Amino acid sequence: MRVRRGETGSLSRRQFIATGSAAMAVPFLPRQGLANIQTGAPLHGLSAFGDLKYPEGFTRFDYASPEAPRGGVFNFQPGYWFFNQNVLTFNTLNSFVRTGDAPPRMELCFDMLMTRAYDEPDAIYGLLAETVTVSEDRNSFTFKLRPEARFHDGTPLTAEDVAHSYMLIKEKGHPQLQLPLAELERAVAEAPDSVRLEFSGRQAQRNILGVVTYPVFSRASVEKNGFDSSRLVPLLGSGPYKVGRFSAGRYIEYDRVEDYWARDLGPRRGFNHFDRIRIDFYRDRNAGFEAFKKGDTLWREEFTARTWATGYDFPAIREGRVLQVGIPSEKRPSLYGLVLNQRREQFRDARVREAVGLCFDFEWTNRNLFYGAYTRSHSFFQNSPYMAEGLPSDAERPLLERFRGDVPEAAFGEAVMQPVSDGTGRDRKNLREARRLLTEAGWTPRDGILHNEKGTRLTLEYLVRDEIFLRTDAGFTENLRALGVDASIRLVDASQYQSRQVGFDFDMVSMAIGLDPTPDVDGLEQLFHSRSAGLEGSWNLSGTADPAIDELIGIAGKASTREELTVTLKVLDRVLRARREWIPNWHAANHRVAHWDMFGYSAEKPDYFFPVESLWWYDAEKAKAIGKA
């Protein structure tokens, strides 16, 4: 699962049947996970339903560019990040624990047992592991490590390092990494080149597809330097880059590892062309934009529609030295919206949450502030086959009926859509409905502010970390105040925002989430399962804790075909939308990218991920032509 904050803001892994009624009882029985994957034999790759594009011994992924030159510096502003990473500042170099603020792209310093193919929805191929053997009960996975695998200091990467890394993450890792390891019982080094991961049998059935992409650390390095966020000492890795120069909170550089052990392997060949990747940190997005205009930053994804429409009129643009391009977005479910924290008593009533959503006027905001750049979002799986539409289909209805009386009645009708306003910024019809819902929920005005029968004021503090929210969401909070809600926007610095979000210390925040193309149970649990609701650092920002949601996520994990998964997730989408826990905002069809014209890139962009720093390369002739050589 990846995180991105876009216009107002930025997980992770893999799952019913659309046949006749006679078969409809079958999907809800326990299924054997990974049923299409062979057991007892060494495999070079895995996928959720057994379909791999690349054969054993493949020399490169189709979207890789082995002919591209190496060299140059890529100074860019990341558009997404993971775990405890922060794009505004950093105070630790450990990206895999809950506390602290780490710089983005620390993951480039570490290799993993297996790595994803970005042109397949859920396939993974051996990296550190040459092969994986799945036990007959599919609860044990044995990995044969490549003998050439090395850490950056030249020491061999062994099964002991792998086993220690998994147990370390299970005990001390970031909650987003810990949760999928809840049912890992043992990580055993059977030999220097063989490691076995043993699960209880209660794990999500495709859990392994995410777990094998975890970073592997040097045990010796961890024992020497510790595994926490207290020091700015990088852990020893084995990936294509290592930490170079840095200044805490100001900049970090990652240097390409010249003798990287895996550079000629199929899963790594044709990537990571830049000699150095640099990220500068700006606490103000205007300062970051000015750095780009001057050429200090070379590549930028623009998340502010107003800036994209009006700000890119400076000399380098007019001279053709800087280009504005639209790059198609990935084919993966996405959600950007406002999240109401149900750990706060005032937001536990769905009527209150719906009323808050009615105060947001997308039509006015999109026209007046965003230059019509966006389309309204409605689904938790926007832009994917898992998005529910219209009335439940014949395939969805039997599963949905299982939860009659346990989920909102609205889930059984037309898929819940966000309200359409008259575009005035203060739609009287929507606000009247919001007032009715609040009154029905027991909130009545007293001295201009809504109170409940206990005399408690209805307050809503919208926590933000960028001044742009003060402009884009002012009308939203004004509508709330017009109804008698004591609403405010609270701007805090990056570290405080991170700390409060991790600790669920907020009324409302905005968040954009990109799920895996084949959403797995681990990612869904991070967002919506009761076991993550109390786990600080998880992405269950809304505090969702509902047995029906838990059961639907479990059913998704047991799906044995993509058709089963699609139907189950559509039902889950219907239920989540009816609960009104998020206020979906908007989406765009493209990445809005501006860059100095000094890079090359393949015309074949992968469908499911876009790590520009690994795919693009420095073009010396172009750089010379624009005076940047």
Side-chain angles (χ1 to χ4, degrees):
M1 184 182 303
R2 65 175 183 161
V3 182
R4 174 178 59 79
R5 282 89 174 177
E7 183 72 50
T8 64
S10 132
L11 262 254
S12 209
R13 325 262 190 228
R14 314 289 159 229
Q15 317 130 324
F16 189 130
I17 205 160
T19 56
S21 59
M24 293 314 294
V26 176
F28 309 118
L29 298 175
R31 298 284 187 104
Q32 189 173 43
L34 303 176
N36 297 321
I37 294 178
Q38 183 182 2
T39 62
L43 305 173
H44 76 290
L46 300 170
S47 75
F49 303 107
D51 43 353
L52 293 172
K53 174 180 178 179
Y54 296 96
E56 185 175 359
F58 71 95
T59 59
R60 70 177 183 93
F61 290 127
D62 288 347
Y63 53 88
S65 304
E67 74 288 348
R70 294 174 181 265
V73 177
F74 188 58
N75 188 324
F76 80 125
Q77 296 174 4
Y80 62 88
W81 48 96
F82 305 95
F83 315 127
N84 68 346
Q85 295 174 0
N86 195 325
V87 291
L88 301 181
T89 188
F90 71 96
N91 50 39
T92 181
L93 294 180
N94 189 342
S95 185
F96 309 104
V97 291
R98 184 182 71 82
T99 57
D101 301 278
R105 300 306 179 267
M106 282 300 301
E107 63 276 5
L108 292 173
C109 301
F110 302 90
D111 276 330
M112 59 289 296
L113 288 171
M114 306 183 79
T115 188
R116 297 186 185 280
Y118 304 151
D119 57 348
E120 297 179 83
D122 48 47
I124 52 174
Y125 295 90
L127 182 56
L128 289 171
E130 187 173 1
T131 63
V132 55
T133 302
V134 184
S135 66
E136 187 174 350
D137 63 4
R138 294 174 170 82
N139 291 327
S140 179
F141 304 84
T142 302
F143 301 88
K144 183 180 185 298
L145 302 183
R146 298 185 190 271
E148 62 269 38
R150 293 287 186 277
F151 288 109
H152 295 150
D153 66 351
T155 57
L157 188 151
T158 70
E160 188 63 38
D161 295 304
V162 178
H164 182 262
S165 296
Y166 275 89
M167 299 312 293
L168 179 69
I169 292 171
K170 178 180 172 68
E171 179 187 0
K172 299 181 178 180
H174 192 279
Q176 294 165 33
L177 295 166
Q178 279 186 324
L179 189 61
L181 295 182
E183 300 302 332
L184 176 68
E185 293 189 328
R186 293 200 304 164
V188 183
E190 297 182 317
D193 65 346
S194 178
V195 63
R196 186 176 70 256
L197 301 182
E198 297 178 359
F199 292 84
S200 67
R202 297 184 297 272
Q203 75 278 7
Q205 294 180 355
R206 282 171 285 277
N207 163 274
I208 191 65
L209 300 178
V211 164
V212 294
T213 63
Y214 281 16
V216 172
F217 314 114
S218 161
R219 179 170 186 171
S221 172
V222 170
E223 291 177 344
K224 177 182 178 181
N225 297 301
F227 189 72
D228 56 46
S229 62
S230 64
R231 289 185 291 176
L232 284 163
V233 178
L235 294 168
L236 182 61
S238 61
Y241 286 88
K242 60 183 178 181
V243 174
R245 299 189 309 148
F246 66 88
S247 177
R250 294 181 57 234
Y251 72 89
I252 188 168
E253 294 180 347
Y254 299 99
D255 296 334
R256 184 163 55 83
V257 178
E258 288 292 341
D259 58 349
Y260 174 47
W261 71 274
R263 66 181 180 184
D264 294 322
L265 287 179
R268 283 290 192 250
R269 186 167 174 258
F271 300 108
N272 305 311
H273 311 289
F274 295 108
D275 281 344
R276 186 176 303 116
I277 294 171
R278 180 179 170 113
I279 300 171
D280 290 307
F281 292 78
Y282 301 95
R283 301 203 179 204
D284 179 87
R285 73 172 62 202
N286 290 326
F289 184 45
E290 290 301 317
F292 174 76
K293 290 163 64 175
K294 291 193 302 181
D296 294 339
T297 300
L298 304 172
W299 191 99
R300 171 186 173 93
E301 184 170 0
E302 183 57 67
F303 293 110
T304 304
R306 178 184 181 184
T307 303
W308 186 253
T310 66
Y312 286 81
D313 183 19
F314 50 91
I317 284 276
R318 295 191 290 270
E319 295 161 3
R321 296 189 295 148
V322 170
L323 305 178
Q324 283 181 278
V325 294
I327 298 176
S329 295
E330 289 66 65
K331 298 177 181 179
R332 57 192 300 157
S334 64
L335 170 64
Y336 169 57
L338 300 168
V339 192
L340 290 163
N341 185 0
Q342 294 174 80
R343 301 170 188 85
R344 302 284 205 250
E345 184 176 357
Q346 66 265 39
F347 304 122
R348 291 174 189 163
D349 192 315
R351 293 168 295 188
V352 173
R353 301 194 296 268
E354 183 177 356
V356 173
L358 284 162
C359 293
F360 175 65
D361 191 326
F362 167 76
E363 285 71 26
W364 184 90
T365 303
N366 192 40
R367 185 180 71 249
N368 290 280
L369 300 180
F370 300 155
Y371 296 81
Y374 296 111
T375 301
R376 186 72 195 264
S377 295
H378 301 277
S379 170
F380 286 80
F381 304 102
Q382 195 72 42
N383 300 328
S384 80
Y386 316 119
M387 176 178 175
E389 298 181 270
L391 291 168
S393 66
D394 291 342
E396 295 171 59
R397 200 169 295 115
L399 175 57
L400 191 56
E401 285 296 332
R402 288 185 56 183
F403 299 96
R404 178 79 71 171
D406 296 325
V407 301
E409 191 63 26
F412 297 87
E414 296 270 352
V416 169
M417 305 289 282
Q418 295 304 302
V420 177
S421 79
D422 60 9
T424 62
R426 186 165 291 192
D427 186 300
R428 292 178 180 272
K429 179 182 177 182
N430 286 346
L431 294 180
R432 280 197 301 270
E433 175 62 13
R435 186 182 297 278
R436 184 192 68 79
L437 288 166
L438 291 170
T439 301
E440 188 178 289
W443 296 93
T444 56
R446 186 185 308 169
D447 299 325
I449 299 295
L450 293 174
H451 292 70
N452 62 14
E453 60 182 9
K454 299 178 183 178
T456 304
R457 296 160 64 97
L458 179 52
T459 61
L460 189 157
E461 180 187 81
Y462 177 19
L463 188 69
V464 303
R465 64 175 194 172
D466 194 303
E467 288 185 357
I468 192 169
F469 298 100
L470 304 179
R471 177 178 66 90
T472 60
D473 290 307
F476 175 45
T477 52
E478 286 174 8
N479 282 340
L480 287 166
R481 286 195 289 267
L483 291 180
V485 179
D486 184 7
S488 61
I489 304 178
R490 175 78 179 275
L491 175 65
V492 298
D493 64 42
S495 294
Q496 184 179 355
Y497 183 93
Q498 182 102 326
S499 176
R500 289 186 60 178
Q501 178 185 280
V502 165
F504 305 132
D505 182 18
F506 60 85
D507 292 339
M508 185 174 74
V509 292
S510 65
M511 182 61 64
I513 298 291
L515 290 96
D516 283 339
T518 305
D520 70 355
V521 171
D522 295 331
L524 296 173
E525 285 186 346
Q526 285 281 349
L527 284 165
F528 309 121
H529 201 283
S530 58
R531 72 172 53 129
S532 63
L535 185 62
E536 291 191 357
S538 78
W539 290 121
N540 192 340
L541 302 180
S542 60
T544 303
D546 186 305
I549 299 294
D550 295 350
E551 187 173 349
L552 278 167
I553 291 173
I555 293 170
K558 294 181 176 70
S560 61
T561 67
R562 294 192 189 278
E563 291 75 18
E564 292 178 8
L565 172 65
T566 299
V567 173
T568 306
L569 293 186
K570 284 185 175 183
V571 171
L572 178 61
D573 189 35
R574 290 181 184 279
V575 174
L576 289 169
R577 288 159 70 173
R579 287 176 58 87
R580 308 277 186 175
E581 294 171 334
W582 287 55
I583 304 169
N585 281 5
W586 53 77
H587 62 276
N590 296 314
H591 296 281
R592 294 182 300 233
V593 169
H595 66 89
W596 287 76
D597 188 16
M598 53 190 293
F599 304 114
Y601 52 90
S602 172
E604 186 168 356
K605 172 187 173 290
D607 285 338
Y608 300 109
F609 196 34
F610 181 48
V612 60
E613 67 280 2
S614 296
L615 298 175
W616 287 26
W617 59 87
Y618 174 76
D619 187 315
E621 290 300 315
K622 285 185 176 181
K624 183 178 180 180
I626 65 169
K628 298 288 287 185

